[in-house]
Amino acid sequence: LSADVMVRFHNSKGEIEIKGSEIYPEYIKDYLDVKFQKILFSFMNISSHANTSYNALNRNCLNVYMEQPDFLILGIGLVDCWNRKGINFAPFPHMLGKDPWVSIEEYEKNIRGVIKFSFNVCKTVKYIFMMNIPLVTEEAYGKQPNSYERTIEYNKILKKIATENKDIVLIDIFSCFEKIEKSKFNGLFCKDNVHYNGKGNRIVAQLIFEKVETIISYFEAERLYHENEVEEALKYIQEIDKNQLTEEYQRKVEILERICLKKVKDKLKA
């Protein structure tokens, strides 16, 4: 659930800048298909142009409910906090004339609403991978006063929410791109200097995959354990990079690993 993760055209020439195969959900699916060849993955991309947390809560949650996913990748906020002074249009009438379209208080309320809906109403969602608002180019920020500073503040909200919930992990896209050399950084964007191109999307996909891979490995190990396939469960567990997990899930992995090891030893003694 994100904003504008789709095929992208150059505004003036109509040329394709990002192909459907170059958006990060497609890269993630490719990575997962290779890593977990026995599991069939299905991705539902419900991003849309100019998507905000308001839309996510009031419209996209219905998609989540209808699709009943196991996991949710949530990445939304840039459109919420971006400078809107002098803009004479908005995705919803009540946003017209507002700067930003979604205040930081509304943003926090909306994000918490999406999370509550996903866990308590949809109920199939086991875990949420929450991306923070990404870093864009200096040129883009130069044209949009206060947008950089707002990004920092809105990202603090996401970090706070993630630390409060054991079933949410924050994927720090902002900090990752902040560390990239300036000479290479601008080459990761489309011509609008805001949306990532194929190269940028691949980096985002890798960051998400590192988190997703560990959680799927844990849940698959748990499933195999309950089906009495302890040796197979142990294989998944021992490949998990615990550094990618929250403290709560690190403990869960350690407990499941101890139980599986004991069962394997007991089986060998029998």
Side-chain angles (χ1 to χ4, degrees), residues 184-202:
K184 297 178 181 178
F185 183 75
N186 287 350
L188 302 174
F189 290 83
C190 292
K191 291 180 172 63
D192 65 1
N193 290 304
V194 174
H195 295 88
Y196 294 129
N197 60 20
K199 290 180 181 178
N201 270 287
R202 189 177 286 278

Side-chain angles (χ1 to χ4, degrees), residues 65 85 94 101 144 150 166 210 220 222:
Y65 183 80
K85 283 186 179 178
H94 77 273
W101 278 342
Q144 304 292 340
R150 287 176 182 168
K166 64 182 177 63
E210 289 170 358
E220 185 65 5
E222 189 179 54

Side-chain angles (χ1 to χ4, degrees), residues 210 213-214 237-245 250:
E210 289 170 358
E213 175 190 20
T214 55
I237 293 168
Q238 292 175 338
E239 290 183 1
I240 291 174
D241 179 2
K242 295 175 185 175
N243 293 323
Q244 300 294 339
L245 298 170
Q250 286 180 17

Side-chain angles (χ1 to χ4, degrees), residues 80 90 157 167 175 208 216 233 254 263:
D80 295 63
I157 295 295
D167 296 314
S175 295
I208 297 172
I216 289 178
E254 289 166 0
K263 282 189 172 289

Side-chain angles (χ1 to χ4, degrees), residues 104-232:
I104 194 165
E105 295 79 14
E106 293 171 314
Y107 181 67
E108 179 172 0
K109 181 181 177 181
N110 292 340
I111 294 296
R112 289 186 182 279
V114 171
I115 292 166
K116 184 177 180 180
F117 182 93
S118 300
F119 286 137
N120 298 342
V121 179
C122 181
K123 294 184 179 180
T124 59
V125 177
K126 301 173 184 175
Y127 205 84
I128 294 177
F129 303 91
M130 188 161 66
M131 302 159 55
N132 61 6
I133 302 170
L135 183 71
V136 300
T137 65
E138 289 183 7
E139 183 177 344
Y141 286 129
K143 294 177 180 178
Q144 304 292 340
N146 302 319
S147 294
Y148 176 83
E149 292 78 10
R150 287 176 182 168
T151 296
I152 299 296
E153 293 306 310
Y154 281 52
N155 276 344
K156 288 178 182 177
I157 295 295
L158 296 178
K159 185 176 181 180
K160 179 177 72 171
I161 292 172
T163 56
E164 293 172 356
N165 196 311
K166 64 182 177 63
D167 296 314
I168 298 175
V169 66
L170 182 70
I171 302 172
D172 194 352
I173 304 294
F174 186 97
S175 295
C176 173
F177 278 82
E178 200 173 32
K179 296 172 185 175
I180 295 172
E181 294 177 26
K182 191 172 182 180
S183 59
K184 297 178 181 178
F185 183 75
N186 287 350
L188 302 174
F189 290 83
C190 292
K191 291 180 172 63
D192 65 1
N193 290 304
V194 174
H195 295 88
Y196 294 129
N197 60 20
K199 290 180 181 178
N201 270 287
R202 189 177 286 278
I203 294 173
V204 172
Q206 185 60 44
L207 289 170
I208 297 172
F209 173 69
E210 289 170 358
K211 303 291 186 183
V212 172
E213 175 190 20
T214 55
I215 285 296
I216 289 178
S217 292
Y218 168 73
F219 281 109
E220 185 65 5
E222 189 179 54
R223 181 189 69 79
L224 289 166
Y225 168 75
H226 288 297
E227 292 182 1
N228 210 30
E229 296 183 41
V230 181
E231 288 88 350
E232 284 298 310

Side-chain angles (χ1 to χ4, degrees), residues 7-102:
V7 174
R8 190 159 191 85
F9 296 89
H10 188 287
N11 289 338
S12 60
K13 298 181 181 179
E15 298 171 351
I16 294 178
E17 284 194 278
I18 307 176
K19 299 176 183 177
S21 59
E22 294 176 325
I23 58 177
Y24 70 76
E26 292 300 317
Y27 284 137
I28 295 170
K29 186 177 185 304
D30 290 343
Y31 295 155
L32 290 172
D33 285 341
V34 171
K35 174 67 179 180
F36 302 100
Q37 296 183 12
K38 294 181 180 180
I39 304 174
L40 179 63
F41 292 97
S42 176
F43 267 69
M44 175 67 178
N45 182 356
I46 54 175
S47 64
S48 60
H49 179 64
N51 207 12
T52 65
S53 60
Y54 175 85
N55 192 53
L57 177 61
N58 291 282
R59 292 188 177 181
N60 295 151
C61 277
L62 178 60
N63 299 114
V64 175
Y65 183 80
M66 291 176 68
E67 293 299 324
Q68 299 283 293
D70 295 306
F71 307 102
L72 179 66
I73 299 172
L74 178 61
I76 202 157
L78 189 147
V79 178
D80 295 63
C81 71
W82 212 241
N83 176 50
R84 300 298 172 187
K85 283 186 179 178
I87 302 295
N88 59 2
F89 68 90
F92 294 95
H94 77 273
M95 293 180 181
L96 194 62
K98 290 180 65 178
D99 176 36
W101 278 342
V102 181

